[in-house]
Amino acid sequence: MSADGNADLELGAEWKPEHLVLAGLVRCTLESLRFHASRVEVDFVARATATATVTRRDADERYAFAEIAVDFDLDLDPQPDDVAELLAKAERDCFVGASLTAKPTYRWRVNGAPVSSQA
């Protein structure tokens, strides 16, 4: 695989397509956050994990994501007055998350404290 004809990516056999979707969801959400954070002059360092359940749907007996959870641990500098609004924009504007039938559950920890988004 390569991205835009550059930087070949070698993945081990343990990487399944569903792992790549989850990695894409994390990257997309962080890029969305980066865009909105830069508009309010906030910098951040982030760590994230994503988990999902894939199961056979009753409606059509096809395998699909049933549940997706993404956990973010952010250090924001400076911390904006309305952190929840910033996080809601990051969730809303990630096209990968918006494209999924099983809507992700986002859990945020900002500067050591849990925060709920407004999304």
Side-chain angles (χ1 to χ4, degrees):
M1 280 188 285
S2 67
D4 297 325
N6 300 309
D8 286 346
L9 179 63
E10 297 290 330
L11 297 173
E14 67 278 5
W15 282 90
K16 306 293 183 224
E18 55 271 27
H19 298 136
L20 298 175
V21 171
L22 295 177
L25 174 60
V26 167
R27 276 296 286 265
C28 183
T29 306
L30 289 174
E31 285 303 311
S32 178
L33 176 62
R34 185 168 316 287
F35 172 79
H36 290 291
S38 71
R39 295 181 75 195
V40 293
E41 298 180 355
V42 171
D43 196 14
F44 69 90
V45 175
R47 291 161 296 288
T49 59
T51 58
T53 301
V54 174
T55 191
R56 190 183 297 238
R57 298 183 293 216
D58 291 334
D60 59 8
E61 303 219 356
R62 300 186 72 188
Y63 284 94
F65 286 111
E67 295 176 354
I68 302 170
V70 189
D71 293 289
F72 292 95
D73 190 357
L74 303 176
D75 293 323
L76 296 179
D77 184 31
Q79 184 166 325
D81 293 333
D82 198 344
V83 173
E85 180 181 350
L86 178 64
L87 302 179
K89 288 178 180 179
E91 293 175 19
R92 179 195 72 199
D93 292 341
C94 169
F95 76 91
V96 174
S99 300
L100 295 167
T101 303
K103 297 303 173 199
T105 300
Y106 297 92
R107 293 181 293 238
W108 299 91
R109 187 169 190 79
V110 175
N111 295 344
V115 175
S116 295
S117 72
Q118 298 172 351

